[in-house]
Amino acid sequence: MGGLTTSLLIGVQGLEASQAALDATSNNISNSNTPGYTREVPQFSSDAETDIGGTISGGGVTLDGLQSVRDELLNLQIQQQTSQQSSADAQSSSLSQIQTLFSTTGEDLASTLTPLSTSLQQLSASPSSASAQQGVLAAGENLARSFNSTASGLVSAQSSADQQVTQTVSQINTLSQQIATLNTQIAETVPPGQDGGTLQDQRDQLVQQLSQLTSVSVTQSSTGEVITTGNGTPLVMGGQSFNLQTATGTNGMQQVLDANGSNITSTITGGQLGGAIQVRDTTIPGYLNSLNTLASQFATAFNTAQTQGTDSNGNAGQAFFTVPSGTTGAAAGISVALTSGSQIAISSDGSAGSNGNVANLSAALTNTLPSGQTPANAYANLVFAVGNDASNASAQSTAIGQSLLQLTNQQSSVSGVSLDEETTNLIRFQTAYEAAARIISTVQALSTVTLDMGSAQSY
Amino acid sequence: MRVNPNLVPDILADLNQSQQTLNTALQEVSTGKSVTQPSDNPAAAAAMVQNTIETGNVDQYTQNVTSVLSTVQTADSALSNVVSSLTQAVSLGTEGANGTNNTSNLQALAEQVQGILTSVVNQANTSYGGTYLFGGTASTQPPYTADSSSSSGYTYNGNNDTNSVAVGDQTSVAINLPGSQLFSNAATNVLGTLSSLVSALQSGNSSTISSATTAVSSAIDYVNQQRVFYGNAETQLNSQESYLQQETVSLTSQASSLVDVNMTQAATELSQAETANSAALAAAAKVLPNSLINYLGIPS
């Protein structure tokens, strides 16, 4: 039979429930700025009614626990987009360094090709002028230096991408280990199928950081999350993590190896690691190849033009540029072979005043190279390619940034702590707590009345 | 649906974006360039490579035209002097051929013509800026030097080649005629006719003097014909100069349309960006501190 004691017990349950709800609210408020924190809502259920002798009375309230409000699907989408964005960012930051090599700075190839061309035209007008001859030699040296510095700028961008690969791999390993540890803790403390609460928040946050480094695929298993790279190389399986390794490859660049030592470099996409590998192994080698082809073919054409003439000393023209044989390293290795302006093969008929071969030298600048392009066109195409890649990477980063912002907004609208909401809850639970306390004081008053019924003396 | 309670990322993204727009607009106005790096406009940056090289070349072609023009004009005026010297020789020859001169008169005439020969050789050895104009491409030494074994008394040290100077991408102008063609051609040897006239005057034979004089006057015709070459070169260089001026203008305007900003537009964009940025900041300042807490009394 229900009695005052029942009311008292129900009142106490109400107090406890409101107390727990106030705890949850204050925890939400305290964590409102914690990255990755998912708001928690108290789950109440009313206890079963009891029917004692035909009298039905309520069973009070039970706090089932705190439920973190999260949307796993949104988390997955955010991870994917994050990977794509940090890949685009890595490429964009590398390319913005590279493109300064191709901006008009006075040291770039367009700025040094021009003086070679104009100094040759000047030489054509005054073939026996020593200063005009020296002008061509100096312009040639500047051009060679410009090839050298552009190539070394590209190589240094490549090696900084290479360093990034090593650093990123070690960050990935650290995160994998932390996630595996959290997997173990969650498996030990949280019953299967239930939300992991703040531990799960932390793990989600780490997976989010991991997806900045490389694209990952996350699946759930009985022992916790299984995380693999985009191509399926395991990083975390439950409580176990698998370290990636790096080793110097045949091209001198750091290769990424899985835990078994297989080379997975070419299969890695997304994230800082994917972006760095893309820049290092595809983008920069492409530019270097164009630059080397240009340096090698131009030097060969110019040297051929030199050999068609006679220099001011009456000797047959010798090679103007020294360039490594083969295309590789041509831009880095090109230098001027001549030591004096008098060695420029100006004359076509052997007389000192002839300018007949200058036209051949000039033609090497304007004729199509074996690549099918004039030197200026070949360089212009390279400038276009660099500019286009840089502009695409930054546009891609902006576009993904927009959609990532949308997704983060959605996630925040599901999981984020609203101070207004929490303040409202604070008032709600405060009122409920006060009401529950009132029940107890009411029961106490009623008990007094009931006890007074059998006695003249007042308690 | 629950509203996103956290405005900070949105506001930050908006502020970032408006700051970025403001920076870009400011940079455009302050540099006057819309393309400062290739990614700003890859196609324009690539076209600028061509433009830079072409502009450099056109500047140099213009300088070439100026210097070649002086060379050609010097050569032409030298030839003009040669023609007047030859005309003088013809009148001396005509005077010698009229039969009224005694030997010493003829000797004096012969010496005058010899003087004319020397002056013509001096003209043939004209140099400009250290370059001998009539030696073919062997232009570092005087083309004519005295040589007693030669019939004319002078030998040609030059060659038969000519130099051409580039004054446009596909245009070059031949700038010299070799002395072997101008003065000591096998058919019409200018120096030879003068030295023949000297010998004829010294011999005193009127008919020889007369025929030698006729040879000198046909040499005048020949030199005048050759001068057409320099006249043509001058015409060609002058028209090339005005073409290059147009080319410079069109390259400059191309460069300007590729990379320069439209100032009016850029200034308008800058002021729009400023307004948008202040609006975003003002909105952020208004919205961010808003919370229910501000409206609730402190619990007593």
Side-chain angles (χ1 to χ4, degrees):
Chain A
M1 165 191 154
L4 283 177
T5 318
T6 310
S7 300
L8 192 62
L9 286 174
I10 292 175
V12 170
Q13 280 180 342
L15 265 186
E16 282 171 350
S18 300
Q19 173 68 55
L22 282 168
D23 284 352
T25 304
S26 78
N27 193 41
N28 280 345
I29 292 174
S30 308
N31 282 303
S32 62
N33 288 320
T34 307
Y37 180 76
T38 303
R39 74 190 165 105
E40 292 178 332
V41 290
Q43 300 288 308
F44 300 116
S45 61
S46 66
D47 284 349
E49 294 159 337
T50 48
D51 180 353
I52 300 170
T55 309
I56 296 170
S57 64
V61 65
T62 304
L63 177 73
D64 295 331
L66 298 174
Q67 175 72 45
S68 292
V69 186
R70 70 176 92 242
D71 185 335
E72 293 289 357
L73 191 62
L74 269 177
N75 285 350
L76 276 179
Q77 285 175 311
I78 289 176
Q79 284 156 19
Q80 285 166 6
Q81 300 269 313
T82 305
S83 292
Q84 286 182 32
Q85 195 193 23
S86 45
S87 167
D89 279 347
Q91 294 183 47
S92 175
S93 89
S94 197
L95 283 165
S96 68
Q97 283 174 34
I98 290 172
Q99 70 168 340
T100 59
L101 299 169
F102 297 91
S103 308
T104 314
T105 55
E107 293 297 313
D108 63 306
L109 274 171
S111 306
T112 52
L113 262 175
T114 312
L116 182 61
S117 174
T118 57
S119 65
L120 280 170
Q121 309 307 346
Q122 197 180 2
L123 188 64
S124 140
S126 38
S128 47
S129 150
S131 69
Q133 293 168 2
Q134 201 56 39
V136 173
L137 192 69
E141 280 165 355
N142 282 337
L143 178 66
R145 258 201 298 279
S146 183
F147 268 119
N148 299 160
S149 66
T150 308
S152 84
L154 285 173
V155 168
S156 93
Q158 192 176 28
S159 68
S160 76
D162 193 41
Q163 283 170 14
Q164 206 182 355
V165 167
T166 320
Q167 287 166 6
T168 312
V169 164
S170 93
Q171 287 172 18
I172 289 174
N173 290 340
T174 311
L175 285 172
S176 300
Q177 287 156 16
Q178 291 172 348
I179 293 168
T181 312
L182 279 170
N183 267 345
T184 313
Q185 287 178 18
I186 292 172
E188 282 167 359
T189 55
V190 181
Q194 287 211 10
D195 192 271
T198 50
L199 285 177
Q200 192 166 336
D201 290 349
Q202 286 176 31
R203 188 178 63 186
D204 283 352
Q205 185 67 12
L206 290 174
V207 174
Q208 167 80 16
Q209 287 174 19
L210 186 60
S211 69
Q212 269 177 22
L213 302 178
T214 183
S215 74
V216 290
S217 126
V218 180
T219 47
Q220 303 293 336
S221 80
S222 54
T223 52
E225 275 184 342
V226 174
I227 300 174
T228 62
T229 63
N231 72 321
T233 305
L235 294 173
V236 179
M237 291 179 99
Q240 205 182 354
S241 68
F242 299 89
N243 278 357
L244 299 179
Q245 307 158 34
T246 52
T248 310
T250 48
N251 59 357
M253 298 292 162
Q254 292 297 312
Q255 304 295 306
V256 182
L257 311 179
D258 68 7
N260 299 326
S262 313
N263 191 339
I264 55 165
T265 315
S266 59
T267 61
I268 287 174
T269 55
Q272 274 174 29
L273 186 60
I277 289 175
Q278 167 78 21
V279 165
R280 186 194 74 180
D281 291 352
T282 309
T283 315
I284 296 180
Y287 300 156
L288 271 175
N289 187 39
S290 304
L291 192 69
N292 284 332
T293 308
L294 174 60
S296 163
Q297 293 185 349
F298 171 70
T300 308
F302 204 76
N303 287 345
T304 309
Q306 265 278 114
T307 57
Q308 287 166 0
T310 312
D311 68 17
S312 312
N313 307 323
N315 302 320
Q318 350 166 357
F320 190 95
F321 291 109
T322 310
V323 66
S325 60
T327 312
T328 316
I334 190 172
S335 61
V336 171
L338 302 186
T339 50
S340 154
S342 64
Q343 290 171 302
I344 297 165
I346 307 162
S347 168
S348 54
D349 59 8
S351 351
S354 164
N355 72 356
N357 200 45
V358 175
N360 290 333
L361 293 171
S362 294
L365 282 160
T366 50
N367 283 354
T368 52
L369 298 171
S371 65
Q373 294 166 327
T374 65
N377 273 338
Y379 180 67
N381 284 349
L382 185 55
V383 169
F384 180 81
V386 172
N388 207 30
D389 287 351
S391 142
N392 281 347
S394 113
Q396 200 190 356
S397 165
T398 312
I400 301 171
Q402 290 294 332
S403 88
L404 198 54
L405 187 66
Q406 288 299 323
L407 286 170
T408 319
N409 276 347
Q410 280 185 42
Q411 189 194 40
S412 182
S413 80
V414 174
S415 308
V417 175
S418 158
L419 286 178
D420 293 347
E421 183 183 357
E422 299 304 330
T423 316
T424 316
N425 282 342
L426 205 56
I427 298 166
R428 186 154 69 104
F429 297 134
Q430 184 188 2
T431 315
Y433 188 92
E434 284 168 6
R438 183 61 57 85
I439 289 172
I440 290 168
S441 65
T442 307
V443 170
Q444 186 195 15
L446 288 178
S447 302
T448 312
V449 171
T450 311
L451 287 173
D452 279 354
M453 286 197 301
S455 155
Q457 192 185 346
S458 178
Y459 286 92
Chain B
M1 188 183 152
R2 194 168 175 263
V3 173
N4 173 18
N6 190 0
L7 294 169
V8 174
D10 266 338
I11 289 175
L12 279 181
D14 289 346
L15 287 180
N16 256 340
Q17 199 181 353
S18 78
Q19 188 65 47
Q20 180 65 47
T21 317
L22 185 61
N23 287 354
T24 310
L26 188 64
Q27 196 193 19
E28 287 195 357
V29 169
S30 55
T31 61
K33 301 260 178 247
S34 62
V35 181
T36 45
Q37 47 190 10
S39 65
D40 291 338
N41 183 344
M48 271 309 286
V49 171
Q50 290 284 10
N51 186 286
T52 308
I53 294 174
E54 197 53 36
T55 306
N57 281 345
V58 166
D59 284 352
Q60 187 55 48
Y61 291 144
T62 311
Q63 287 180 31
N64 279 3
V65 165
T66 316
S67 74
V68 168
L69 201 55
S70 320
T71 310
V72 167
Q73 282 166 347
T74 311
D76 194 30
S77 80
L79 288 187
S80 151
N81 290 343
V82 168
V83 168
S84 44
S85 298
L86 289 177
T87 314
Q88 211 183 336
V90 169
S91 49
L92 292 173
T94 315
E95 191 186 335
N98 65 10
T100 59
N101 299 293
N102 60 25
T103 316
S104 68
N105 281 347
L106 285 174
Q107 202 58 44
L109 288 173
E111 271 167 29
Q112 284 187 46
V113 175
Q114 183 63 47
I116 286 171
L117 175 57
T118 313
S119 109
V120 168
V121 168
N122 281 342
Q123 296 296 336
N125 283 341
T126 303
S127 73
Y128 180 80
T131 303
Y132 290 93
L133 299 182
F134 301 113
T137 59
S139 55
T140 50
Q141 54 193 3
Y144 289 97
T145 47
D147 178 10
S148 52
S149 66
S150 160
S151 60
S152 63
Y154 292 93
T155 185
Y156 180 60
N157 307 308
N159 59 26
N160 304 329
D161 295 335
T162 57
N163 272 344
S164 292
V165 170
V167 291
D169 281 341
Q170 303 298 330
T171 317
S172 57
V173 176
I175 57 159
N176 66 325
L177 285 179
S180 56
Q181 183 181 340
L182 279 170
F183 304 111
S184 46
N185 193 349
T188 315
N189 190 327
V190 175
L191 300 180
T193 55
L194 281 175
S195 78
S196 306
L197 181 59
V198 173
S199 324
L201 286 168
Q202 282 166 344
S203 73
N205 183 327
S206 290
S207 70
T208 321
I209 295 172
S210 171
S211 65
T213 307
T214 316
V216 174
S217 58
S218 58
I220 295 178
D221 294 343
Y222 178 74
V223 172
N224 274 330
Q225 280 166 27
Q226 299 301 312
R227 279 183 68 191
V228 172
F229 167 85
Y230 287 101
N232 283 345
E234 271 183 67
T235 316
Q236 203 184 341
L237 288 168
N238 282 327
S239 70
Q240 185 66 18
E241 193 170 22
S242 42
Y243 167 76
L244 289 171
Q245 277 165 5
Q246 285 170 23
E247 194 70 5
T248 308
V249 171
S250 79
L251 282 169
T252 314
S253 86
Q254 190 205 9
S256 170
S257 71
L258 283 174
V259 298
D260 286 358
V261 291
N262 176 340
M263 246 335 148
T264 330
Q265 201 183 335
T268 315
E269 278 167 8
L270 177 61
S271 100
Q272 280 173 349
E274 266 174 336
T275 315
N277 189 241
S278 336
L281 288 170
K286 254 190 148 42
V287 168
L288 275 179
N290 259 0
S291 158
L292 181 58
I293 296 158
N294 304 351
Y295 297 90
L296 293 174
I298 299 157
S300 49

